Amino acid sequence: MIAIIASSLLMLVAPWPLLLVGLLVGIRADHHARWVKTLSDGANWFALLCSISATAMYVTMAQHSQTFLSMPLPWELGSFAIRTLVNPLTLVMFTLVSFMGMIVSRYSATYMVGDAHEGRFHRWLSLTVGAFLALIVTDNIWGFWISFIAASLFLHQLLIFYRERPLAVIAARKKYLFSRIADVSLFTAFLLIVRTTGRTEFSGIAQWMHAWHGSLPASLQIATGLIVLCAILKSGTFPLHGWLIQVMEAPTQVSALLHAGLIYTGAFLLLRVSPMITHVSWAWTVLILAGLLSATVASLMMMTETNIKESLAYSTSAQLGFMLMECGLGLYSIAVLHIVAHSVYKAHAFLSSGSVVDNFRGPMIQKLNIKQTLGRAELAILISGLVTFGVAMAFGFDLQKQPTLLTIGAIVAIAMGQLLLQALNRSGVGAGTLLSRVALLSIIVCSAYFGLHDLSTDLLGSSIPSDTLQADHIPIWLLALIVVAFLSLLHIQQLLPRLQKSSFWQAVYVNLYNGLYVDLVFSQMAFLHASKIGETLGAANPQVQFPEE
């Protein structure tokens, strides 16, 4: 009992030094920037040490929640409670975000030196990380909703840190509009959940769902749809991806924090309410289709992008689509594994983006033979497919009974096929050695993938639904569509130089380079929103000038 209370207390207090640095010490932050920077760095280290300590304590315990304060709410809203939920999902996400917060804080300690608003930057950084950590650890849905809004508003201040940059301001305005729609959607969903189930805790909602059999009431199906909408709005997926690409005007470490942590807010929400999603077939169908659309289109746009940081942003949009698709397929353990891997990779990619330029210098132009290229691509996919499914069966996967894992296995095979194709396209001395090394690497990567999947499933335990819960209900045509989409991406990538010689594909290339122009509509909405607010303020007081949000 003492260990349970101690671990809950550690998770409860971990975000508060960060929040206090921003709320109290951060006042007039630019006048004592050194203090704010030092305390912010210390608060990030404290949060990371708390998460490590709580994880060490959890090894001997089961999932538990602890209430420290509870207040009844009017209008049948249930109660607001300071209540922590300590389970493997909480610990994984909390450790990941606190680690990323510490890395970004250390990076900023030297990056922001000499900036006129260095103290203000560290203030908003502390508040953003602190609010997101509070969101992760809370079990009460109203506490989650408050932290959900707070993290978004604090992040907004980081995105418009350079207010004199028009692109930074307009991108932040678009995100602001999407986030407010997401806030209303989530509030409405939570309201429907409380009035239908009488529960205000994620753990209580999960228990209610496990005891329910058959179709959910209409109110809960609507709530699930609103949560899916909220997750899509927060994930920066196509066609709502424009702001994610354009916030590159913010400091580099803000991009790293966003793409390696805060962008997963929507995915984390889906993981928290995954017991609901498994009961609503049309909701996870929407997730699969929306995720597949974003993964496909954003990947094509990334192929045309010449700006390195924007190419990384398109990659994030594609990967978030992939994560939504994984949640739709019911592969929640893989989604968590994907979040961890992508977070670490993307943080490094952004923080080292300056040195990435060297990798793009002097590209080798090769003469393309379309028949030879297609033949090699098919051979590479065949070899990688045999390797992937051979490794899967060695790990004990029954692919006939797990069609969703079969689909993901096909995607892994396609990814490994790209590695093999590079070796097959290599000619001259050492080509055979390279092919054998790449084949060995494919076996190692596949083994690591399926091994980590087993490890992730065992670690997360009952904190997420089983991977097989939705598998039998997903139509075969939908799984086939996913495989065809990824196969098409592989072939388009290989044939892109040849395709660009056609006038039709040149037009497609230009449209993809410009994001299919879908973001223009949202840019106009953001300008309209800003002008209306400016006119209102100006009419009320002609002396007031409308500041950028």
Side-chain angles (χ1 to χ4, degrees):
M1 184 64 182
I2 295 176
I4 290 176
I5 295 176
S7 63
S8 297
L9 277 172
L10 282 171
M11 301 299 284
L12 177 67
V13 302
W16 280 101
L18 286 161
L19 294 171
L20 291 175
V21 167
L23 294 173
L24 300 178
V25 183
I27 298 174
R28 295 175 59 82
D30 290 336
H31 294 275
H32 38 81
R34 191 196 312 181
W35 277 102
V36 177
K37 176 170 63 175
T38 302
L39 291 173
S40 175
D41 189 51
N44 276 288
W45 273 106
F46 176 78
L48 179 59
L49 291 175
C50 283
S51 68
I52 295 172
S53 301
T55 302
M57 291 182 181
Y58 184 81
V59 172
T60 59
M61 295 180 288
Q63 172 177 313
H64 60 272
S65 57
Q66 191 75 27
T67 302
F68 296 93
L69 176 67
S70 181
M71 297 179 295
L73 296 174
W75 307 308
E76 300 181 29
L77 294 178
S79 62
F80 170 80
I82 298 178
R83 180 184 174 95
T84 59
L85 174 60
V86 182
N87 63 14
L89 176 61
T90 301
L91 293 170
V92 167
M93 290 298 298
F94 199 95
T95 303
L96 177 67
V97 173
S98 59
F99 176 70
M100 290 303 159
M102 183 270 295
I103 293 295
V104 170
S105 178
R106 295 292 297 167
Y107 186 93
S108 303
T110 53
Y111 186 95
M112 299 302 295
V113 170
D115 193 288
H117 301 294
E118 180 184 4
R120 189 183 74 188
F121 177 87
H122 287 283
R123 178 194 186 191
W124 292 118
L125 177 63
S126 296
L127 287 170
T128 303
V129 176
F132 194 45
L133 291 176
L135 175 149
I136 292 171
V137 76
T138 185
D139 191 23
N140 182 263
I141 61 175
W142 300 121
F144 182 97
W145 187 71
I146 292 171
S147 302
F148 186 84
I149 296 175
S152 174
L153 294 176
F154 296 148
L155 175 63
H156 183 75
Q157 299 299 322
L158 289 174
L159 296 180
I160 59 167
F161 184 73
Y162 295 124
R163 296 171 182 264
E164 68 278 5
R165 298 182 179 182
L167 287 178
V169 174
I170 194 60
R173 283 175 181 161
K174 281 188 284 190
K175 182 192 177 299
Y176 186 90
L177 288 173
F178 293 149
S179 295
R180 301 296 72 80
I181 297 172
D183 297 341
V184 174
S185 298
L186 187 59
F187 179 86
T188 307
F190 283 167
L191 179 62
L192 291 171
I193 291 171
V194 172
R195 292 190 173 180
T196 304
T197 67
R199 308 296 180 91
T200 56
E201 300 81 28
F202 288 113
S203 55
I205 294 169
Q207 291 173 0
W208 193 94
M209 292 295 164
H210 289 317
W212 183 268
H213 299 286
S215 300
L216 291 181
S219 59
L220 289 184
Q221 294 202 33
I222 294 172
T224 304
L226 290 170
I227 288 173
V228 168
L229 172 63
C230 176
I232 292 173
L233 286 167
K234 296 291 287 188
S235 298
T237 54
F238 180 86
L240 309 176
H241 66 290
W243 67 267
L244 185 62
I245 311 303
Q246 295 161 5
V247 292
M248 297 298 106
E249 293 291 319
T252 296
Q253 62 270 39
V254 175
S255 299
L257 180 65
L258 172 63
H259 289 258
L262 296 173
I263 195 64
Y264 308 127
T265 307
F268 181 71
L269 171 62
L270 293 175
L271 293 168
R272 273 288 189 242
V273 300
S274 51
M276 286 183 61
I277 296 173
T278 57
H279 282 80
V280 186
S281 60
W282 61 264
W284 44 255
T285 301
V286 169
L287 280 174
I288 293 173
L289 293 175
L292 180 61
L293 175 65
S294 183
T296 305
V297 177
S299 296
L300 291 172
M301 291 176 178
M302 183 178 66
M303 293 180 194
T304 67
E305 186 56 61
T306 55
N307 183 295
I308 293 173
K309 290 180 69 176
E310 290 186 3
S311 178
L312 291 172
Y314 276 121
S315 170
T316 297
S317 182
Q319 295 294 332
L320 262 293
F322 202 157
M323 290 175 198
L324 295 183
M325 186 182 73
E326 288 165 342
C327 291
L329 292 171
L331 301 174
Y332 299 105
S333 60
I334 291 182
V336 175
L337 182 62
H338 194 168
I339 287 174
V340 174
H342 182 258
S343 176
V344 175
Y345 156 71
K346 197 51 67 79
H348 176 268
F350 271 102
L351 296 179
S352 62
S353 57
S355 61
V356 176
V357 178
D358 293 336
N359 297 330
F360 290 85
R361 289 178 178 170
M364 183 181 296
I365 300 176
Q366 297 180 350
K367 186 176 180 180
L368 183 68
N369 184 312
I370 186 168
K371 292 183 178 180
Q372 188 179 48
T373 300
L374 289 174
R376 288 175 176 175
E378 292 168 358
L379 177 60
I381 293 172
L382 176 62
I383 296 173
S384 60
L386 293 173
V387 169
T388 302
F389 295 118
V391 171
M393 287 186 287
F395 274 86
F397 288 100
D398 189 342
L399 299 177
Q400 290 183 344
K401 296 181 180 179
Q402 297 173 292
T404 50
L405 279 177
L406 176 63
T407 304
I408 296 298
I411 296 174
V412 173
I414 294 169
M416 294 301 99
Q418 289 183 310
L419 285 175
L420 288 170
L421 191 56
Q422 293 179 12
L424 290 172
N425 287 334
R426 177 79 174 265
S427 59
V429 180
T433 303
L434 178 61
L435 180 60
S436 60
R437 289 179 179 177
V438 172
L440 178 61
L441 178 62
S442 298
I443 296 174
I444 294 173
V445 170
C446 290
S447 300
Y449 172 79
F450 289 108
L452 288 172
H453 169 263
D454 282 347
L455 179 63
S456 176
T457 302
D458 292 339
L459 287 178
L460 293 170
S462 61
S463 60
I464 57 172
S466 169
D467 287 351
T468 60
L469 204 57
Q470 294 171 212
D472 294 336
H473 306 288
I474 298 175
I476 296 298
W477 68 264
L478 197 51
L479 299 178
L481 179 63
I482 294 171
V483 175
V484 169
F486 279 88
L487 279 172
S488 300
L489 284 174
L490 173 63
H491 283 85
I492 290 173
Q493 183 180 24
Q494 296 302 317
L495 299 177
L496 192 60
R498 175 68 175 265
L499 294 175
Q500 286 181 275
K501 296 179 180 180
S502 164
S503 58
F504 171 78
W505 287 107
Q506 284 178 357
V508 172
Y509 188 95
V510 170
N511 281 273
L512 288 171
Y513 180 80
N514 289 282
L516 299 180
Y517 303 100
V518 296
D519 190 54
L520 291 177
V521 177
F522 302 115
S523 296
Q524 292 172 353
M525 289 172 57
F527 277 119
L528 182 62
H529 171 259
S531 62
K532 284 185 176 180
I533 296 178
E535 290 173 2
T536 302
L537 293 175
N541 185 355
Q543 301 299 321
V544 175
Q545 293 184 351
F546 173 67
E548 295 87 353
E549 290 183 359

